[in-house]
């Protein structure tokens, strides 16, 4: 039994108690960010749609409560229909189908769900721009030309491609994933270990045009959740390929992230703001994502080096549990308070976010179940 077991076990009891209640109100819908205690619901094609079924599958694996499974299966049915909504889809099919279809395939041996994930991998591979060696993030939402835009979050969608290559024993998807990851290493990662959110390229020639602020404060600032996606994403690229440069990048981003945390281990929404103070919102979702990535990273490193990252992850999770949880608040559907969705557009600022909840629970179970 590890030394974290006492508080982690109490945290898990709080989580499952709350999920038993919120699964009744949320049902098989697609929560996004919470406002006034209720999660706003999204469409099945929204980038967040996999997180609720992902959370239900985590709860099902621990409890074997069939209600969690049945709700997740209904979510998968709705998500699978989006495969025919081509113009609504985007690179985040990795989050969507990875958490919904691949879990359903693995846990229920559901061949149809496996087929959904393989089709999603083919759509993701189809977003690859061979001139610039990047995966295009989005359609031209809002009339803006996004044909040359790649974003840091996409590292977390690459596991869908690595998984598909393994599943059908064909390297094509893996090659695309690694070409994109190499572009991110070269064009997004800065010497200090921070990362850009968006880098745009000329879609015809592939030449770099420049960095953009995206959800960060500025093009050359350091959006905290972007750093968390990079830390976890590079770690997963290393897991699938064994390529040392991905591990080095994951450690560089992790060290930057950890060195810029305030005392309670939960970052402000951007690490390079002109001013910090009590009024600046935190992003608890960035802490949850980073903690889960750090636990993955720790498991891939030699024991002593890994133990240091594990210690940091545990400290972040404990602070989230003790200082950021809405455990006993019957009026709130979210688990973790004080996340920041999109500060500049005032979307879900200082609110629970479903992906913060998902990664908190994912990380907590990794920590709790470590022998
Ligand atoms: N764009 C995905 C996120 O908010 O992290």
């Amino acid at each position: 039994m590890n030394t974290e077991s006492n508080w982690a076990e109490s945290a898990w009891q709080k989580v499952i108690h709350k999920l038993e209640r919120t699964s009744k109100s949320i049902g098989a819908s697609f929560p996004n960010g919470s406002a006034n205690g209720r999660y706003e619901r999204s469409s099945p094609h929204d980038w967040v749609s996999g997180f609720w079924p992902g959370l239900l599958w985590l709860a099902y694996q621990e409890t074997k409560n069939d209600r969690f499974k049945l709700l997740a299966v209904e979510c998968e049915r709705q998500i699978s229909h989006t495969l025919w909504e081509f113009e609504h889809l985007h690179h985040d099919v990795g989050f969507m189908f990875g958490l919904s279809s691949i879990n359903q395939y693995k846990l229920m041996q559901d061949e149809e769900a496996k087929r959904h994930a393989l089709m999603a991998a083919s759509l993701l591979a189809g977003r690859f721009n061979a001139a610039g060696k990047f995966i295009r993030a989005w359609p031209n939402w809002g009339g803006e030309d996004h044909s040359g835009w790649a974003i840091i979050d996409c590292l977390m969608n690459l596991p869908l491609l690595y998984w598909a290559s393994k599943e059908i024993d064909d390297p094509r998807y893996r090659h695309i994933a690694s070409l994109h990851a190499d572009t991110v290493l070269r064009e997004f990662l800065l010497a200090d270990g921070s990362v850009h959110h968006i880098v745009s390229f000329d879609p015809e020639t592939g030449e770099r045009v420049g960095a953009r602020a995206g959800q960060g404060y500025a093009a050359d600032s350091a959006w905290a959740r972007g750093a968390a996606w990079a830390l976890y994403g590079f770690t997963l690229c290393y897991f699938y390929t064994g390529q040392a440069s991905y591990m080095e990048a994951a450690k560089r981003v992790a060290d930057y992230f950890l060195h810029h945390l305030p005392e309670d281990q939960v970052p402000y929404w951007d690490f390079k703001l002109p001013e910090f103070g009590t009024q600046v919102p935190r992003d608890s979702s960035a802490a949850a994502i980073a903690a889960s990535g750090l636990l993955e990273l720790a498991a891939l490193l030699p024991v002593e080096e890994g133990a240091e990252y594990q210690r940091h992850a545990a400290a972040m999770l404990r602070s989230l549990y003790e200082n950021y949880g809405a455990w006993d608040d019957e009026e709130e559907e979210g688990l973790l308070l004080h996340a920041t969705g999109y500060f500049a557009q005032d979307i879900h600022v200082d609110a629970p976010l479903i992906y913060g909840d998902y990664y908190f629970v994912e990380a907590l179970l990794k920590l709790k179940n470590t022998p």
Side-chain angles (χ1 to χ4, degrees):
M1 196 172 279
N2 71 65
T3 53
E4 304 297 340
S5 59
N6 289 343
W7 74 260
E9 186 54 45
S10 308
W12 170 247
Q13 291 308 325
K14 297 273 190 197
V15 164
I16 202 65
H17 180 72
K18 183 137 191 177
L19 287 179
E20 274 160 7
R21 183 167 61 75
T22 58
S23 60
K24 291 184 186 132
S25 60
I26 296 174
S29 67
F30 301 100
N32 188 340
S34 171
N36 303 318
R38 185 180 184 274
Y39 264 128
E40 290 172 8
R41 311 305 200 238
S42 281
S43 307
H45 60 243
D46 194 282
W47 82 276
V48 298
S49 68
F51 294 110
W52 178 240
L55 202 43
L56 292 166
W57 283 123
L58 290 175
Y60 173 71
Q61 284 179 85
E62 289 290 302
T63 62
K64 298 291 177 262
N65 176 340
D66 270 346
R67 196 155 54 82
F68 293 135
K69 180 175 82 176
L70 293 173
L71 290 175
V73 168
E74 172 52 23
C75 287
E76 165 66 10
R77 190 190 66 75
Q78 296 179 57
I79 290 173
S80 69
H81 288 174
T82 69
L83 287 167
W84 282 265
E85 294 179 22
F86 183 80
E87 72 280 13
H88 288 140
L89 287 178
H90 40 72
H91 69 137
D92 286 323
V93 291
F95 285 116
M96 294 164 60
F97 290 84
L99 292 173
S100 182
S101 314
I102 296 182
N103 273 326
Q104 185 155 318
Y105 165 52
K106 285 186 177 162
L107 295 167
M108 294 180 65
Q109 293 74 50
D110 183 337
E111 290 292 323
E112 190 65 28
K114 171 178 150 185
R115 212 167 291 128
H116 297 156
L118 288 172
M119 288 165 74
S122 295
L123 288 174
L124 184 56
R127 305 190 76 79
F128 186 67
N129 181 314
K133 298 189 176 64
F134 66 89
I135 292 174
R136 172 181 173 165
W138 304 309
N140 291 343
W141 282 326
E144 196 168 19
D145 181 5
H146 293 155
S147 53
W149 290 21
I151 74 171
I152 196 72
D153 326 24
C154 190
L155 285 176
M156 292 293 283
N157 293 318
L158 303 184
L160 179 66
L161 298 175
Y162 288 123
W163 168 84
S165 259
K166 237 174 144 186
E167 201 61 40
I168 63 171
D169 196 18
D170 179 331
R172 286 173 299 150
Y173 300 100
R174 169 164 46 81
H175 290 324
I176 286 175
S178 294
L179 284 167
H180 176 87
D182 291 343
T183 299
V184 176
L185 273 181
R186 206 177 48 247
E187 306 292 353
F188 284 65
L189 180 59
L190 304 180
D192 64 0
S194 64
V195 290
H196 297 301
H197 182 197
I198 301 177
V199 174
S200 73
F201 301 87
D202 181 319
E204 291 294 344
T205 66
E207 269 170 50
R208 185 188 215 270
V209 175
R212 307 179 67 96
Q215 281 163 267
Y217 172 74
D220 54 359
S221 71
W223 179 43
R225 195 164 57 256
W229 294 138
L231 184 178
Y232 201 163
F234 278 130
T235 300
L236 292 173
C237 290
Y238 175 77
F239 171 80
Y240 282 104
T241 64
Q243 191 175 307
S245 55
Y246 300 148
M247 170 61 88
E248 283 158 23
K251 282 170 36 176
R252 188 134 57 96
V253 179
D255 293 342
Y256 178 87
F257 194 101
L258 294 171
H259 287 140
H260 289 80
L261 289 178
E263 204 172 336
D264 77 352
Q265 305 296 303
V266 175
Y268 295 101
W269 69 279
D270 193 304
F271 291 116
K272 290 184 185 167
L273 294 174
E275 272 181 57
F276 289 92
T278 49
Q279 299 308 310
V280 176
R282 304 294 179 115
D283 185 2
S284 59
S285 77
I289 295 158
S292 198
L294 285 171
L295 290 173
E296 220 56 64
L297 180 62
L300 295 167
L301 285 166
V303 177
E304 244 173 65
E305 198 182 1
E308 190 59 17
Y309 287 115
Q310 168 149 351
R311 196 179 59 72
H312 282 293
M316 290 161 73
L317 290 171
R318 189 166 187 168
S319 178
L320 288 172
Y321 168 54
E322 290 176 353
N323 306 316
Y324 289 76
W327 310 123
D328 302 317
D329 182 352
E330 302 269 320
E331 306 299 317
E332 172 59 68
E333 284 184 331
L335 302 180
L336 281 190
L337 302 167
H338 309 307
T340 295
Y342 193 165
F343 184 84
Q345 295 200 1
D346 198 20
I347 298 170
H348 304 138
V349 175
D350 196 20
L353 295 169
I354 191 63
Y355 33 102
D357 289 1
Y358 172 81
Y359 285 104
F360 175 76
V361 177
E362 182 189 87
L364 181 68
L365 289 177
K366 283 180 198 168
L367 190 69
K368 182 175 91 66
N369 296 337
T370 301

